Coordinates of all heavy atoms in Angstrom, one line a residue:
M20 N 27.2 5.2 23.8 CA 27.0 5.3 22.3 C 25.5 5.0 22.0 O 24.9 4.1 22.6 CB 27.8 4.3 21.6 CG 27.8 4.5 20.1 SD 29.1 3.5 19.3 CE 28.1 2.1 18.7
I21 N 24.9 5.9 21.2 CA 23.5 5.7 20.9 C 23.4 5.2 19.4 O 24.0 5.9 18.5 CB 22.7 7.0 21.1 CG1 22.7 7.4 22.6 CG2 21.3 6.9 20.6 CD1 22.1 8.7 22.8
I22 N 22.7 4.1 19.2 CA 22.5 3.6 17.8 C 21.1 3.9 17.4 O 20.2 3.4 18.1 CB 22.8 2.1 17.8 CG1 24.3 1.9 18.2 CG2 22.6 1.6 16.3 CD1 24.6 0.4 18.4
F23 N 20.9 4.7 16.4 CA 19.6 4.9 15.9 C 19.5 4.9 14.4 O 20.6 5.0 13.7 CB 19.0 6.2 16.5 CG 19.7 7.5 16.0 CD1 19.3 8.1 14.9 CD2 20.8 7.9 16.7 CE1 20.0 9.3 14.5 CE2 21.5 9.1 16.3 CZ 21.0 9.7 15.2
G24 N 18.3 4.8 13.9 CA 18.2 4.7 12.4 C 16.7 4.6 12.0 O 15.9 5.0 12.8
T25 N 16.5 4.1 10.8 CA 15.1 4.0 10.4 C 15.0 2.6 9.8 O 16.0 1.9 9.4 CB 14.7 5.0 9.3 OG1 15.6 4.8 8.2 CG2 14.8 6.4 9.8
R26 N 13.8 2.1 9.8 CA 13.5 0.8 9.2 C 12.2 0.8 8.5 O 11.2 1.5 9.0 CB 13.4 -0.2 10.4 CG 13.4 -1.6 9.9 CD 13.6 -2.6 11.0 NE 13.2 -3.9 10.6 CZ 13.2 -5.0 11.4 NH1 13.5 -4.8 12.7 NH2 12.8 -6.2 11.0
G27 N 12.1 0.2 7.3 CA 10.9 0.3 6.5 C 10.1 -1.0 6.7 O 10.6 -2.1 6.8
Y28 N 8.8 -0.8 6.7 CA 7.8 -1.9 6.7 C 6.8 -1.8 5.6 O 6.5 -0.7 5.2 CB 7.0 -1.9 8.0 CG 7.9 -2.1 9.3 CD1 8.6 -1.1 9.8 CD2 8.0 -3.4 9.8 CE1 9.3 -1.3 11.0 CE2 8.8 -3.6 10.9 CZ 9.4 -2.5 11.5 OH 10.2 -2.8 12.6
V29 N 6.4 -2.9 5.0 CA 5.4 -2.9 4.0 C 4.2 -3.7 4.4 O 4.4 -4.9 4.9 CB 6.0 -3.4 2.7 CG1 4.9 -3.4 1.6 CG2 7.2 -2.7 2.2
Y30 N 3.0 -3.2 4.4 CA 1.8 -3.9 4.7 C 0.9 -4.0 3.5 O 0.6 -3.0 2.8 CB 1.0 -3.2 5.8 CG 1.8 -2.9 7.1 CD1 2.5 -1.8 7.3 CD2 1.8 -3.9 8.1 CE1 3.2 -1.6 8.4 CE2 2.5 -3.7 9.2 CZ 3.2 -2.5 9.4 OH 3.9 -2.3 10.6
Q31 N 0.6 -5.3 3.2 CA -0.4 -5.5 2.1 C -1.8 -5.3 2.7 O -2.2 -6.1 3.5 CB -0.2 -6.9 1.5 CG -1.2 -7.4 0.6 CD -1.0 -6.9 -0.9 OE1 0.2 -6.9 -1.3 NE2 -2.0 -6.6 -1.6
L32 N -2.5 -4.3 2.2 CA -3.8 -4.0 2.8 C -5.0 -4.7 2.1 O -5.9 -5.2 2.7 CB -4.0 -2.5 2.8 CG -3.0 -1.6 3.6 CD1 -3.3 -0.2 3.4 CD2 -3.0 -2.1 5.0
A33 N -5.0 -4.6 0.7 CA -6.1 -5.2 0.0 C -5.7 -5.4 -1.5 O -4.7 -4.8 -2.0 CB -7.3 -4.2 0.1
M34 N -6.6 -6.2 -2.1 CA -6.5 -6.3 -3.6 C -7.8 -5.6 -4.1 O -8.9 -6.0 -3.8 CB -6.5 -7.8 -4.0 CG -5.1 -8.4 -3.7 SD -3.7 -7.7 -4.6 CE -4.0 -8.4 -6.2
L35 N -7.6 -4.6 -5.0 CA -8.7 -3.9 -5.5 C -8.7 -3.9 -7.0 O -7.7 -3.9 -7.6 CB -8.6 -2.4 -5.0 CG -8.5 -2.1 -3.5 CD1 -7.9 -0.7 -3.3 CD2 -9.8 -2.3 -2.9
T36 N -9.9 -4.0 -7.6 CA -10.0 -3.9 -9.0 C -10.2 -2.4 -9.4 O -11.3 -1.8 -9.1 CB -11.2 -4.8 -9.5 OG1 -11.0 -6.1 -9.1 CG2 -11.3 -4.7 -11.0
L37 N -9.2 -1.9 -10.0 CA -9.3 -0.5 -10.5 C -8.9 -0.4 -11.9 O -8.2 -1.3 -12.4 CB -8.3 0.3 -9.6 CG -8.4 0.3 -8.1 CD1 -7.2 0.9 -7.5 CD2 -9.7 1.0 -7.7
V38 N -9.3 0.7 -12.5 CA -8.9 0.9 -13.9 C -7.5 1.6 -13.8 O -7.3 2.7 -13.3 CB -9.9 1.8 -14.7 CG1 -9.3 2.1 -16.1 CG2 -11.2 1.1 -14.8
C39 N -6.5 0.9 -14.4 CA -5.1 1.4 -14.4 C -5.0 2.7 -15.2 O -5.5 2.8 -16.3 CB -4.2 0.3 -14.9 SG -2.5 0.9 -14.9
G40 N -4.2 3.7 -14.6 CA -4.0 4.9 -15.3 C -3.0 4.8 -16.5 O -2.9 5.6 -17.3
Q41 N -2.2 3.7 -16.4 CA -1.2 3.5 -17.5 C -1.7 2.6 -18.6 O -1.6 3.0 -19.8 CB 0.1 3.0 -16.9 CG 1.2 2.8 -17.9 CD 2.5 2.7 -17.3 OE1 3.1 3.6 -16.8 NE2 3.1 1.5 -17.3
C42 N -2.1 1.4 -18.2 CA -2.4 0.4 -19.3 C -3.9 0.4 -19.6 O -4.4 -0.1 -20.6 CB -2.0 -1.0 -18.9 SG -2.8 -1.7 -17.5
G43 N -4.8 1.1 -18.7 CA -6.2 1.3 -19.0 C -7.0 0.0 -18.8 O -8.2 0.0 -19.1
N44 N -6.4 -1.0 -18.2 CA -7.1 -2.3 -17.9 C -7.8 -2.2 -16.6 O -7.2 -1.7 -15.6 CB -6.2 -3.5 -18.0 CG -5.8 -3.8 -19.4 OD1 -6.6 -4.3 -20.2 ND2 -4.6 -3.6 -19.8
P45 N -9.0 -2.7 -16.4 CA -9.6 -2.9 -15.1 C -9.0 -4.1 -14.4 O -9.6 -5.1 -14.2 CB -11.1 -3.1 -15.4 CG -11.1 -3.7 -16.8 CD -9.9 -3.2 -17.5
A46 N -7.8 -3.9 -13.9 CA -7.0 -5.0 -13.4 C -6.9 -4.9 -11.9 O -7.3 -3.9 -11.2 CB -5.5 -4.9 -13.9
A47 N -6.5 -6.0 -11.3 CA -6.4 -6.1 -9.8 C -5.1 -5.2 -9.4 O -4.1 -5.3 -10.1 CB -6.1 -7.5 -9.4
H48 N -5.4 -4.4 -8.4 CA -4.3 -3.6 -7.9 C -4.1 -3.9 -6.4 O -5.0 -4.1 -5.7 CB -4.7 -2.1 -8.0 CG -4.6 -1.5 -9.3 ND1 -5.4 -1.9 -10.4 CD2 -3.8 -0.5 -9.9 CE1 -5.1 -1.2 -11.5 NE2 -4.2 -0.4 -11.2
S49 N -2.8 -4.1 -6.1 CA -2.5 -4.3 -4.7 C -2.3 -3.0 -4.0 O -1.6 -2.1 -4.5 CB -1.3 -5.2 -4.5 OG -0.2 -4.7 -5.1
L50 N -3.1 -2.8 -2.9 CA -2.9 -1.6 -2.1 C -2.0 -1.9 -0.9 O -2.2 -2.8 -0.1 CB -4.3 -1.1 -1.5 CG -4.3 0.1 -0.6 CD1 -3.8 1.3 -1.4 CD2 -5.7 0.4 -0.1
R51 N -0.9 -1.1 -0.9 CA 0.2 -1.4 0.1 C 0.4 -0.1 0.9 O 0.3 1.0 0.4 CB 1.5 -1.8 -0.5 CG 1.4 -3.1 -1.2 CD 2.8 -3.7 -1.5 NE 2.7 -4.9 -2.3 CZ 3.1 -4.9 -3.6 NH1 3.7 -3.8 -4.1 NH2 3.0 -6.0 -4.3
K52 N 0.8 -0.3 2.2 CA 1.2 0.8 3.1 C 2.6 0.6 3.4 O 3.1 -0.4 3.8 CB 0.3 0.7 4.3 CG 0.6 1.9 5.3 CD -0.5 2.0 6.3 CE -0.2 1.2 7.6 NZ -1.1 1.5 8.7
Y53 N 3.4 1.7 3.1 CA 4.8 1.7 3.4 C 5.1 2.6 4.6 O 4.8 3.8 4.6 CB 5.6 2.3 2.2 CG 5.6 1.4 1.0 CD1 4.5 1.4 0.2 CD2 6.6 0.6 0.7 CE1 4.4 0.6 -1.0 CE2 6.6 -0.3 -0.4 CZ 5.5 -0.3 -1.3 OH 5.5 -1.1 -2.4
V54 N 5.6 2.0 5.7 CA 5.8 2.8 6.9 C 7.3 2.8 7.2 O 8.0 1.7 7.2 CB 5.0 2.1 8.1 CG1 5.3 2.9 9.4 CG2 3.6 2.0 7.8
T55 N 7.8 4.0 7.5 CA 9.2 4.1 7.9 C 9.2 4.4 9.4 O 8.6 5.4 9.8 CB 9.9 5.2 7.1 OG1 9.8 4.9 5.7 CG2 11.4 5.2 7.5
K56 N 9.9 3.6 10.2 CA 9.9 3.8 11.6 C 11.3 4.2 12.1 O 12.3 3.7 11.6 CB 9.4 2.5 12.4 CG 7.9 2.3 12.2 CD 7.5 1.1 13.0 CE 6.0 0.9 12.9 NZ 5.5 -0.3 13.6
F57 N 11.3 5.1 13.1 CA 12.5 5.5 13.8 C 12.9 4.3 14.7 O 12.0 3.8 15.5 CB 12.2 6.8 14.5 CG 13.4 7.2 15.3 CD1 14.4 7.9 14.7 CD2 13.5 7.0 16.7 CE1 15.5 8.4 15.4 CE2 14.6 7.4 17.4 CZ 15.6 8.1 16.8
T58 N 14.1 3.9 14.7 CA 14.6 2.9 15.6 C 15.7 3.4 16.5 O 16.5 4.2 16.1 CB 15.1 1.7 14.8 OG1 16.3 2.1 14.0 CG2 14.1 1.1 13.9
L59 N 15.7 2.9 17.7 CA 16.7 3.2 18.7 C 17.2 1.9 19.2 O 16.4 1.1 19.8 CB 16.1 4.1 19.8 CG 17.1 4.7 20.8 CD1 18.0 5.6 20.2 CD2 16.3 5.4 21.9
F60 N 18.5 1.7 19.1 CA 19.1 0.4 19.4 C 18.3 -0.8 18.7 O 18.0 -1.8 19.3 CB 19.1 0.2 20.9 CG 20.0 1.1 21.6 CD1 19.5 2.2 22.3 CD2 21.4 1.1 21.5 CE1 20.3 3.1 23.0 CE2 22.2 2.0 22.1 CZ 21.7 3.0 22.9
F61 N 18.0 -0.5 17.4 CA 17.3 -1.5 16.6 C 15.9 -1.8 17.0 O 15.3 -2.8 16.5 CB 18.2 -2.8 16.5 CG 19.6 -2.6 16.1 CD1 20.6 -2.7 17.0 CD2 19.9 -2.1 14.8 CE1 21.9 -2.5 16.7 CE2 21.2 -1.9 14.5 CZ 22.2 -2.1 15.4
V62 N 15.4 -1.1 17.9 CA 14.0 -1.3 18.4 C 13.1 -0.2 17.7 O 13.3 1.0 17.9 CB 13.8 -1.2 19.9 CG1 12.4 -1.3 20.3 CG2 14.7 -2.2 20.6
P63 N 12.2 -0.6 16.9 CA 11.3 0.5 16.2 C 10.4 1.1 17.3 O 9.7 0.5 18.1 CB 10.4 -0.4 15.3 CG 10.5 -1.8 15.7 CD 11.8 -1.9 16.4
L64 N 10.5 2.5 17.3 CA 9.7 3.2 18.3 C 8.4 3.8 17.8 O 7.4 3.6 18.3 CB 10.6 4.3 18.9 CG 11.8 3.9 19.7 CD1 12.6 5.1 20.2 CD2 11.3 3.0 20.9
F65 N 8.6 4.7 16.7 CA 7.4 5.3 16.2 C 7.5 5.6 14.7 O 8.6 5.7 14.2 CB 7.1 6.6 16.9 CG 8.3 7.6 17.0 CD1 8.5 8.5 15.9 CD2 9.1 7.6 18.1 CE1 9.6 9.3 16.0 CE2 10.2 8.4 18.1 CZ 10.5 9.3 17.1
P66 N 6.4 5.6 14.0 CA 6.5 5.8 12.5 C 6.8 7.3 12.2 O 6.2 8.2 12.9 CB 5.1 5.5 12.0 CG 4.2 5.6 13.2 CD 5.0 5.3 14.4
I67 N 7.7 7.5 11.3 CA 8.0 8.9 10.9 C 7.5 9.2 9.5 O 7.4 10.4 9.1 CB 9.5 9.2 10.9 CG1 10.3 8.1 10.1 CG2 10.1 9.2 12.4 CD1 11.8 8.4 10.0
S68 N 7.1 8.2 8.8 CA 6.6 8.4 7.5 C 5.6 7.2 7.1 O 6.0 6.1 7.3 CB 7.7 8.5 6.5 OG 7.3 8.1 5.2
T69 N 4.5 7.6 6.6 CA 3.5 6.5 6.1 C 3.1 6.9 4.7 O 2.6 8.0 4.5 CB 2.3 6.4 7.0 OG1 2.8 6.2 8.4 CG2 1.4 5.3 6.6
K70 N 3.2 6.0 3.8 CA 2.8 6.2 2.4 C 2.0 5.1 1.9 O 2.2 3.9 2.3 CB 4.1 6.4 1.5 CG 4.8 7.7 1.7 CD 6.1 7.8 0.9 CE 6.8 9.1 1.2 NZ 8.2 9.0 0.8
Y71 N 1.0 5.4 1.1 CA 0.2 4.4 0.5 C 0.5 4.4 -1.0 O 0.6 5.4 -1.7 CB -1.3 4.8 0.7 CG -1.7 4.7 2.1 CD1 -1.5 5.8 3.0 CD2 -2.3 3.5 2.6 CE1 -1.9 5.7 4.3 CE2 -2.7 3.4 3.9 CZ -2.5 4.5 4.8 OH -2.9 4.4 6.1
R72 N 0.5 3.1 -1.5 CA 0.7 3.0 -3.0 C -0.1 1.9 -3.5 O -0.4 0.9 -2.8 CB 2.2 2.6 -3.2 CG 3.2 3.7 -3.1 CD 4.6 3.2 -3.1 NE 5.5 4.3 -3.3 CZ 6.1 4.7 -4.5 NH1 5.8 4.0 -5.6 NH2 6.9 5.7 -4.6
T73 N -0.5 2.0 -4.8 CA -1.2 0.9 -5.4 C -0.3 0.4 -6.5 O 0.5 1.2 -7.1 CB -2.5 1.4 -6.1 OG1 -2.3 2.4 -7.0 CG2 -3.5 1.8 -5.1
Q74 N -0.3 -0.9 -6.8 CA 0.5 -1.4 -7.9 C -0.4 -2.2 -8.8 O -1.1 -3.1 -8.3 CB 1.6 -2.2 -7.4 CG 2.5 -2.7 -8.6 CD 3.7 -3.5 -8.1 OE1 3.7 -4.2 -7.1 NE2 4.8 -3.4 -8.9
C75 N -0.4 -1.9 -10.1 CA -1.2 -2.6 -11.1 C -0.6 -4.0 -11.3 O 0.6 -4.1 -11.5 CB -1.2 -1.8 -12.4 SG -2.1 -2.7 -13.7
T76 N -1.4 -5.1 -11.2 CA -0.8 -6.4 -11.4 C -0.7 -6.7 -12.9 O -0.1 -7.7 -13.3 CB -1.7 -7.5 -10.7 OG1 -3.0 -7.3 -11.2 CG2 -1.7 -7.3 -9.2
F77 N -1.3 -5.8 -13.7 CA -1.2 -6.1 -15.2 C 0.1 -5.6 -15.8 O 0.8 -6.3 -16.5 CB -2.5 -5.4 -15.8 CG -2.7 -6.0 -17.2 CD1 -3.6 -7.0 -17.4 CD2 -2.2 -5.4 -18.3 CE1 -3.8 -7.5 -18.6 CE2 -2.4 -5.8 -19.6 CZ -3.3 -6.9 -19.8
C78 N 0.4 -4.3 -15.5 CA 1.6 -3.7 -16.1 C 2.6 -3.4 -15.0 O 3.8 -3.0 -15.4 CB 1.2 -2.4 -16.9 SG 0.7 -1.0 -15.9
G79 N 2.3 -3.5 -13.7 CA 3.3 -3.3 -12.7 C 3.5 -1.8 -12.3 O 4.4 -1.5 -11.5
M80 N 2.7 -0.9 -12.8 CA 2.9 0.5 -12.5 C 2.5 0.8 -11.0 O 1.4 0.3 -10.6 CB 2.0 1.4 -13.4 CG 2.4 2.9 -13.2 SD 1.2 4.0 -13.9 CE -0.2 3.8 -12.8
E81 N 3.4 1.5 -10.3 CA 3.1 1.9 -8.9 C 2.7 3.3 -8.9 O 3.2 4.1 -9.6 CB 4.3 1.7 -8.1 CG 4.5 0.3 -7.5 CD 5.5 0.2 -6.4 OE1 5.3 0.9 -5.4 OE2 6.4 -0.6 -6.5
Q82 N 1.7 3.6 -8.1 CA 1.2 5.0 -7.9 C 1.0 5.3 -6.5 O 0.4 4.5 -5.7 CB -0.1 5.1 -8.7 CG -0.5 6.5 -8.9 CD -1.7 6.7 -9.8 OE1 -2.4 5.7 -10.0 NE2 -2.0 7.8 -10.3
Q83 N 1.5 6.4 -6.1 CA 1.3 6.9 -4.7 C 0.0 7.6 -4.6 O -0.4 8.3 -5.5 CB 2.5 7.8 -4.3 CG 2.5 8.0 -2.8 CD 3.8 8.7 -2.3 OE1 4.9 8.5 -2.9 NE2 3.6 9.6 -1.4
L84 N -0.6 7.4 -3.5 CA -1.9 8.1 -3.3 C -2.0 8.6 -1.8 O -1.4 8.0 -0.9 CB -3.1 7.2 -3.7 CG -3.4 6.0 -2.9 CD1 -4.9 5.5 -3.3 CD2 -2.5 4.9 -3.2
P85 N -2.8 9.7 -1.6 CA -2.9 10.2 -0.3 C -3.7 9.3 0.6 O -4.4 8.4 0.2 CB -3.7 11.5 -0.5 CG -4.3 11.4 -1.8 CD -3.4 10.5 -2.6
K86 N -3.4 9.5 1.9 CA -4.0 8.6 2.9 C -5.5 8.5 2.9 O -6.1 7.5 3.0 CB -3.6 9.1 4.3 CG -4.0 8.2 5.4 CD -3.7 8.9 6.8 CE -4.3 8.0 7.9 NZ -4.4 8.7 9.2
E87 N -6.2 9.7 2.7 CA -7.6 9.8 2.6 C -8.1 9.0 1.5 O -9.2 8.3 1.6 CB -8.1 11.3 2.4 CG -7.7 12.2 3.6 CD -6.3 12.6 3.6 OE1 -5.6 12.5 2.6 OE2 -5.8 12.9 4.7
H88 N -7.4 9.0 0.3 CA -7.8 8.3 -0.8 C -7.7 6.7 -0.6 O -8.6 6.0 -0.9 CB -7.0 8.7 -2.0 CG -7.5 8.2 -3.3 ND1 -7.1 8.8 -4.5 CD2 -8.4 7.2 -3.7 CE1 -7.7 8.1 -5.5 NE2 -8.5 7.2 -5.0
A89 N -6.6 6.4 0.1 CA -6.4 4.9 0.4 C -7.5 4.4 1.3 O -8.1 3.3 1.1 CB -5.0 4.7 1.0
E90 N -7.8 5.2 2.3 CA -8.9 4.8 3.3 C -10.2 4.8 2.6 O -11.1 3.9 3.0 CB -8.9 5.7 4.5 CG -7.6 5.5 5.4 CD -7.5 6.5 6.5 OE1 -8.2 7.5 6.5 OE2 -6.8 6.2 7.4
G91 N -10.5 5.7 1.7 CA -11.7 5.7 0.9 C -11.9 4.4 0.1 O -13.0 3.9 -0.1
L92 N -10.7 3.9 -0.4 CA -10.8 2.7 -1.2 C -11.0 1.5 -0.3 O -11.6 0.5 -0.7 CB -9.4 2.5 -2.0 CG -9.2 3.4 -3.1 CD1 -7.7 3.3 -3.6 CD2 -10.1 3.1 -4.3
L93 N -10.5 1.5 0.9 CA -10.6 0.4 1.8 C -12.0 0.3 2.4 O -12.5 -0.8 2.7 CB -9.6 0.6 3.0 CG -8.2 0.1 2.6 CD1 -7.2 0.5 3.8 CD2 -8.1 -1.4 2.4
A94 N -12.7 1.4 2.7 CA -13.9 1.4 3.4 C -15.0 0.6 2.7 O -15.6 -0.3 3.4 CB -14.4 2.9 3.5
P95 N -15.3 0.8 1.4 CA -16.4 -0.1 0.8 C -16.0 -1.6 0.7 O -16.8 -2.4 0.8 CB -16.5 0.5 -0.6 CG -15.3 1.3 -0.9 CD -14.8 1.7 0.5
A96 N -14.7 -1.8 0.6 CA -14.2 -3.2 0.5 C -14.5 -3.9 1.9 O -14.8 -5.1 1.9 CB -12.7 -3.3 0.2
A97 N -14.4 -3.2 3.0 CA -14.6 -3.8 4.3 C -16.1 -3.9 4.6 O -16.5 -4.8 5.2 CB -13.9 -2.9 5.3
A98 N -16.9 -3.0 4.0 CA -18.3 -3.0 4.3 C -19.0 -4.0 3.6 O -19.9 -4.7 4.1 CB -18.9 -1.6 4.0
A99 N -18.7 -4.2 2.3 CA -19.4 -5.2 1.5 C -18.4 -6.1 0.8 O -18.0 -5.8 -0.3 CB -20.3 -4.4 0.4
P100 N -18.1 -7.2 1.4 CA -17.2 -8.1 0.8 C -17.8 -8.8 -0.5 O -18.9 -9.2 -0.5 CB -16.9 -9.2 1.9 CG -18.0 -9.0 2.8 CD -18.5 -7.6 2.7
G101 N -17.0 -8.8 -1.5 CA -17.5 -9.4 -2.8 C -18.0 -8.3 -3.7 O -17.7 -8.4 -4.9
G102 N -18.7 -7.3 -3.2 CA -19.1 -6.2 -4.0 C -20.4 -6.5 -4.7 O -20.8 -7.7 -4.9
A103 N -21.1 -5.5 -5.1 CA -22.4 -5.7 -5.8 C -22.2 -6.1 -7.2 O -22.8 -7.0 -7.7 CB -23.3 -4.4 -5.6
A104 N -21.4 -5.3 -7.9 CA -21.2 -5.5 -9.3 C -19.8 -6.1 -9.5 O -18.8 -5.5 -9.3 CB -21.3 -4.2 -10.1
R105 N -19.8 -7.4 -10.0 CA -18.6 -8.0 -10.1 C -18.4 -8.6 -11.5 O -19.3 -9.2 -12.1 CB -18.5 -9.2 -9.1 CG -17.1 -9.8 -9.0 CD -17.1 -10.7 -7.8 NE -15.8 -11.4 -7.7 CZ -15.5 -12.2 -6.7 NH1 -16.3 -12.5 -5.7 NH2 -14.3 -12.7 -6.6
Q106 N -17.3 -8.2 -12.1 CA -17.0 -8.7 -13.5 C -15.7 -9.4 -13.5 O -14.7 -9.0 -12.9 CB -16.9 -7.5 -14.4 CG -18.3 -6.8 -14.6 CD -18.2 -5.7 -15.7 OE1 -17.1 -5.1 -15.9 NE2 -19.3 -5.4 -16.4
E107 N -15.8 -10.5 -14.2 CA -14.5 -11.3 -14.3 C -14.3 -11.6 -15.8 O -15.2 -12.0 -16.6 CB -14.6 -12.6 -13.6 CG -14.6 -12.4 -12.1 CD -14.6 -13.6 -11.3 OE1 -14.5 -14.7 -11.8 OE2 -14.8 -13.6 -10.0
H108 N -13.1 -11.4 -16.2 CA -12.7 -11.7 -17.6 C -11.6 -12.7 -17.6 O -10.7 -12.7 -16.8 CB -12.1 -10.4 -18.2 CG -13.2 -9.3 -18.3 ND1 -14.1 -9.2 -19.3 CD2 -13.4 -8.3 -17.5 CE1 -14.9 -8.2 -19.1 NE2 -14.5 -7.6 -18.0
T109 N -11.8 -13.6 -18.6 CA -10.7 -14.6 -18.7 C -10.0 -14.4 -20.0 O -10.6 -14.2 -21.1 CB -11.4 -16.0 -18.7 OG1 -12.2 -16.1 -17.6 CG2 -10.3 -17.1 -18.7
Q110 N -8.7 -14.3 -19.9 CA -7.9 -14.1 -21.1 C -6.8 -15.1 -21.2 O -6.3 -15.6 -20.2 CB -7.3 -12.7 -21.0 CG -8.3 -11.6 -21.3 CD -7.6 -10.2 -21.4 OE1 -6.5 -10.0 -20.9 NE2 -8.3 -9.2 -22.0
G111 N -6.4 -15.4 -22.4 CA -5.3 -16.2 -22.7 C -5.5 -17.6 -22.5 O -4.7 -18.4 -22.1
Ligands
LIG214 ZN1 -1.6 -1.2 -15.5

């Protein structure tokens, strides 16, 4: 008997300050990678699906984005930690 299936993994990649498409706030967005792996006898063998999503921490909206876009967002964050132009707002 062969037991196989899939298993999902979530990786938190970065926190990015982006302007949200829904609420319009320049809020922190968590960039996550969702990987579905093929498993055989409960051992994950290889990924069959990889998806990238951002979630707005302000309104909670999730948005899927292509891999190239996600890597483009990650590249400057890795090259220049902190960033050149940094704005912080305090509310409430
Ligand atoms: Zn939002």
Side-chain angles (χ1 to χ4, degrees):
M20 189 169 102
I21 296 173
I22 301 169
F23 64 93
T25 59
R26 191 170 165 185
Y28 296 83
V29 182
Y30 301 92
Q31 171 84 38
L32 298 179
M34 288 298 284
L35 304 162
T36 302
L37 303 168
V38 176
C39 176
Q41 177 161 291
C42 65
N44 285 293
H48 286 63
S49 57
L50 177 62
R51 297 196 189 110
K52 183 164 89 167
Y53 293 79
V54 182
T55 305
K56 287 185 178 176
F57 178 82
T58 61
L59 188 64
F60 296 105
F61 309 109
V62 178
L64 291 181
F65 52 86
I67 53 175
S68 153
T69 303
K70 285 172 184 166
Y71 292 86
R72 282 168 169 264
T73 58
Q74 185 178 29
C75 176
T76 56
F77 198 90
C78 70
M80 189 193 73
E81 275 196 53
Q82 193 172 17
Q83 194 173 319
L84 67 165
K86 185 189 175 196
E87 295 76 22
H88 194 161
E90 287 176 345
L92 287 171
L93 279 172
R105 193 169 176 177
Q106 288 186 332
E107 288 182 14
H108 297 279
T109 308
Q110 284 185 342

